[in-house]
Amino acid sequence: MPAPIRLRELIRTIRTARTQAEEREMIQKECAAIRSSFREEDNTYRCRNVAKLLYMHMLGYPAHFGQLECLKLIASQKFTDKRIGYLGAMLLLDERQDVHLLMTNCIKNDLNHSTQYVQGLALCTLGCMGSSEMCRDLAGEVEKLLKTSNSYLRKKAALCAVHVIRKVPELMEMFLPATKNLLSEKNHGVLHTSVVLLTEMCERSPDMLAHFRKLVPQLVRILKNLIMSGYSPEHDVSGISDPFLQVRILRLLRILGKNDDDSSEAMNDILAQVATNTETSKNVGNAILYETVLTIMDIKSESGLRVLAINILGRFLLNNDKNIRYVALTSLLKTVQTDHNAVQRHRSTIVDCLKDLDVSIKRRAMELSFALVNGNNIRGMMKELLYFLDSCDPEFKADCASGVFLAAEKYAPSKRWHIDTIMRVLTTAGSYVRDDSVPNLIQLITNSVEMHAYTVQRLYKALLDDISQQPLVQVASWCIGEYGDLLVSGQCEEEEPIQVTEDEVLDVLEGLLVSNLSTPVTRGYSLTAIMKLSTRFSSVNRIKKVVSIYGSSIDVELQQRAVEYNALFKKYDHMRPALLERMPIMEKTASNGPTEIVQTNGETEPSTVEAKHPPPVTQPTNQANDLLDLLGGNDVVPVIQTTIPTKPASAGGELLDLLGDLSLSGGPAPAPAPSVPTSQPPFLLDGLTSQPLFNDIAAAGIPSMTAYNKNGLKIDFTFERANPNPNIAVITIHATNSTEAEMTDFVFQAAVPKTFQLQLLSPSSNVVPALNQGTVTQVIRVLNPQKQQLRMRIKLTYTHKGSAVQDLAEVNNFPPQSWQ
Amino acid sequence: MVEVRLLISSDGNTVQLFMMQFMLLFSRQGKLRLQKWYVPLSDKEKKKITRELVQTVLARKPKMCSFLEWRDLKIVYKRYASLYFCCAIEDQDNELITLEIIHRYVELLDKYFGSVCELDIIFNFEKAYFILDEFLLGGEAQETSKKNVLKAIEQADLLQEGILGKTPHNMSPALVTATPSEYKWFQVGVERRKLKRQQLPELYCPNEVRTF
């Protein structure tokens, strides 16, 4: 057999390939040759072949068949073989394959080799890819090498020790004796790696941290020598002596000085010295300054020093180098909580960074700008941020919009300003805002009674300009429906009233119903608005006509709505004014996170709680809930304490009659329990986002089930098919606890077979109260595209009476309706 | 999504780590030239990450800053001539010193190869790895003196009994396939570069070549 071609020759040949296919062909041919050479156990060319394989691996071709050959090379006596073998092992093997364990013995031998470069290779490989088993086996050797006087091996051993500790933290103790003399070493490599090792140990163990605090004076001395000593060519980088070591020491000092007065005190002076003496014309000086600033911020430093640090960052902000500006923004963001006023001084510079062209910088500047908003500067800051929102890339809009909402909610100087700001966001970035912003704004508008006329007028004007921004159109429709009378009567005090007729308003709303730009949800809003106007406008006949047209709409949701409204006109006309009355003022809830939604679901789903105990909050028996639904979100307000006296108590029942025996349920939650019909509001006025009629019928039929009942912990499942995708089953779990002690740290986990997909939303709480005094609810969504029988494995962990409990259970008895 | 942060202490808490997760070298055309992973990942994940990062970095404009927030990591990259050097570090780590680490590696390559260019790294990729492994270990710098790193590499090269040797990039067969950018020298230090260029013919004597 002829000698295989050389590595460089192969590289050269492959580079002549003009197409991907040609390259692939060459590689395949070569791979075949290499394989057969491997099979023949050819020792002479193994090294060459593996090297070639590594090149092909880099090009993205499979090379796993070289793994064992690497091991053979490592075991070879030749240094060349070992060098390539270890390199190949690092590239082709990793701890996920058991093959790597075969190296352990070779590495062990090589760690004790007589040539330091062989030892070095072994250390390097262990420190790069050693698995925990390997680390356990070889930690002794590493520890021995950490104590040698050979600095070449010592520095490598120190980093290897770091790797061992990362993999097997309990081995940390064994390196403790060897750390004793590490810092007295003169060699910078050893010094640097030792500091890394000490940092790792301090980070991982509070005991080590306490133990190593005594090293602070020594570290300070080393650092001082570094900055005071003159030019040393070996470690100099642009006039700075060993910046790598300086940064590492500063980092270790940061960890040692954190929450410790004495250590912080001991390093105050040197930090001030580094902060003032470091030359900042080059990146490397700034790297040190940056690390110094972080250390000053983290330890218990004197206030003067902190001001110095913030000012350094302020200087960074003005630097021409983008990297430095970025770093400044990142670190200011970290300190803005603790040193708010100091950061505030650099506000204008930070706001200027919003105009930077670089996305990394822009993002940081935006985050920092939001962090700097307060009651005093809200107007100015918002002006800048709204301008930014207007001009920024699409990727920023969503975050920026929610930032504006949050800040406006917190610091709005007036209601009018608040409404204006949100409307501004909706007009400039309407399609990017989160879904909950519509109900939030509606809620805000409802509650600002004196602003109704102004708002509806503004929104009406906005609608005339642009009907493409869906959230804005939805809010506007809702407001026009609600306050149409104020709009037409032109009673706006804040602004010049506009002259509109009822017909013009209806024209606009009908325009929304037919516009291609409108989403189905928007159309729903619009139809409901038209309906509401029937009690506020005189042109009832026109409204009747529109409503009846949509009784045959192809959009089920819209059709259902229209049919219901039609019935309201015909059979129940006497109730119409009461039903379409203006919304009551709502109580403000906290911002709507995902947890909130889940809680909402839990709250409107009272079956489990009610069955056992009277619920602490009485379920409103009137339409409060579904009126809220008119707001368009499940996530608006879960509970209204006030009852609305104008609603006839019988309305609920009658409306149920109206809809015949469809046994509808309102509310977003599953409705399994026939025991609570009175609290289940009629669907008639149900909001736009609740389920369409038909799914509800389906859902109503799914019985609930008990999935787990052991040791006093009972878990019930209730079901609901989500729309619009009937393949998704929404399961709400209700955990109750009948023992006399509460269960804390309650975690429910579930797993399903691979054909399903499962999503667990956050639980309402992690404490299950004792004596059935409350429920923890959590929503699981299961995607079941193949409609297979549901199976689920659940894992429960909680702490009960001080001891941790863990249990597994399999749930197989799902009702067929939940998955068919 | 690929989980990059795999190092979690035994009690389950993530420990603040300051280590490099991986280093990639790739060309302006998106060709990978060197990869060093300090976290255990499968080949598939590595490829995915590489592809994603190469795309993202190449899409950035030259005037942009060298940092990129990517997943929960920070990418620090710098371009030298036709080659991008790209490191992934922890969110908390010092980006500026990472730039210095990259620069130090480039300097080491430059000293070793003598005015290094992309071609050197293509044809001597194993050398580039050896140098990197002598400079970084497990994602941390092990030596802060350039001299010591180069000394170690030279001595290890001597041990290799001359079986491996460096290949000159101005050897004609390589040049045939070299694109102009691959042939461009990294700008490490202007004065030294000038000096090196004059020395080139002597340094790259074809007779010296001994390959596998």
Side-chain angles (χ1 to χ4, degrees), chain A residues 5-8 11-12 15-16 23 47-48 51 54-55 57-62 78-80 83-84 87 90-91 93-96 115-118 123-124 127-128 152 155-156 159-160 162 166-167 169-170 187-190 192-193 196 199-200 203-204 234-237 242-245 247-248 251 254-255 283-284 286-288 290-291 294 316 322-324 326-327 330 334 357-361 363-364 367, chain B residues 6-10 15-19 31-43 45-47 60 63-69 74 91-97 99-101 104 119 121-127 129-130 133-149 151-153 155-157 159-161 163-167 171 173-174 176-179 182 210-212:
Chain A
I5 63 165
R6 286 155 187 261
L7 168 68
R8 322 289 170 198
I11 298 177
R12 212 169 287 135
R15 283 167 56 80
T16 59
E23 181 183 291
C47 179
R48 180 185 289 184
L54 293 182
Y55 182 73
H57 178 250
M58 184 137 62
L59 295 180
Y61 294 91
K78 279 199 278 188
F79 183 70
T80 317
R83 218 178 179 192
I84 290 292
L87 178 64
M90 283 189 272
L91 287 170
L93 284 169
D94 72 69
E95 58 177 64
R96 289 150 182 243
T115 318
Q116 64 167 0
Y117 295 105
V118 174
L123 281 170
C124 180
C128 178
Y152 178 80
K155 69 185 184 196
K156 284 177 194 278
L159 287 182
C160 244
V162 171
R166 279 176 186 164
K167 287 284 169 192
E170 61 264 32
N187 180 293
H188 281 216
V190 178
H192 183 265
T193 52
V196 176
T199 311
E200 189 69 30
E203 279 271 28
R204 284 193 186 264
E234 196 173 338
H235 300 109
D236 179 83
V237 178
D242 207 337
F244 302 103
L245 183 56
V247 164
R248 273 305 182 169
R251 194 173 290 170
R254 172 153 89 238
I255 294 160
N283 175 63
V284 47
N286 288 321
I288 292 173
Y290 174 40
E291 200 67 43
L294 293 181
F316 276 9
K322 275 196 199 310
N323 295 338
I324 310 280
Y326 172 87
V327 161
T330 323
K334 280 184 208 149
L357 292 173
D358 192 325
V359 283
S360 303
I361 291 183
R363 178 165 293 279
R364 288 286 168 217
E367 286 165 9
Chain B
L6 291 162
L7 295 156
I8 290 175
S9 73
S10 57
V15 174
Q16 252 198 20
L17 294 173
F18 303 102
M19 81 176 249
K31 281 247 194 317
L32 189 64
R33 296 301 184 208
L34 187 135
Q35 52 178 340
K36 187 81 197 175
W37 301 83
Y38 296 108
V39 282
L41 292 170
S42 75
D43 250 20
E45 289 163 328
K46 287 179 189 170
K47 272 187 189 163
R60 285 175 64 89
K63 286 261 171 77
M64 289 185 166
C65 75
S66 302
F67 315 127
L68 193 69
E69 276 145 62
K74 206 166 271 173
D91 189 44
Q92 305 290 317
D93 211 341
N94 185 330
E95 302 91 343
L96 299 179
I97 203 73
L99 275 179
E100 290 301 319
I101 288 189
R104 170 60 60 90
L119 270 187
I121 294 171
I122 297 172
F123 279 91
N124 301 286
F125 69 94
E126 83 284 0
K127 297 281 183 198
Y129 277 116
F130 294 153
D133 284 340
E134 205 57 61
F135 175 43
L136 300 179
L137 198 159
E140 309 278 359
Q142 53 170 304
E143 181 56 70
T144 63
S145 144
K146 266 184 274 188
K147 202 184 76 190
N148 285 350
V149 177
K151 200 171 77 194
I153 286 289
Q155 288 184 351
D157 278 355
L159 255 186
Q160 221 173 287
E161 304 147 326
I163 289 175
L164 288 162
K166 32 184 174 177
T167 314
M171 260 182 65
V176 171
T177 56
T179 61
E182 286 171 342
R210 261 181 260 131
T211 55
F212 287 104

Side-chain angles (χ1 to χ4, degrees), chain A residues 515-537:
Chain A
S515 165
N516 288 336
L517 296 167
S518 301
T519 62
V521 176
T522 310
R523 293 203 176 101
Y525 268 95
S526 162
L527 188 68
T528 308
I530 293 176
M531 182 62 192
K532 284 193 212 160
L533 288 177
S534 72
T535 62
R536 294 160 175 71
F537 283 4

Side-chain angles (χ1 to χ4, degrees), chain B residues 98-111:
Chain B
T98 309
L99 275 179
E100 290 301 319
I101 288 189
I102 292 179
H103 189 75
R104 170 60 60 90
Y105 180 48
V106 175
E107 284 179 319
L108 290 169
L109 289 172
D110 195 63
K111 279 246 180 192

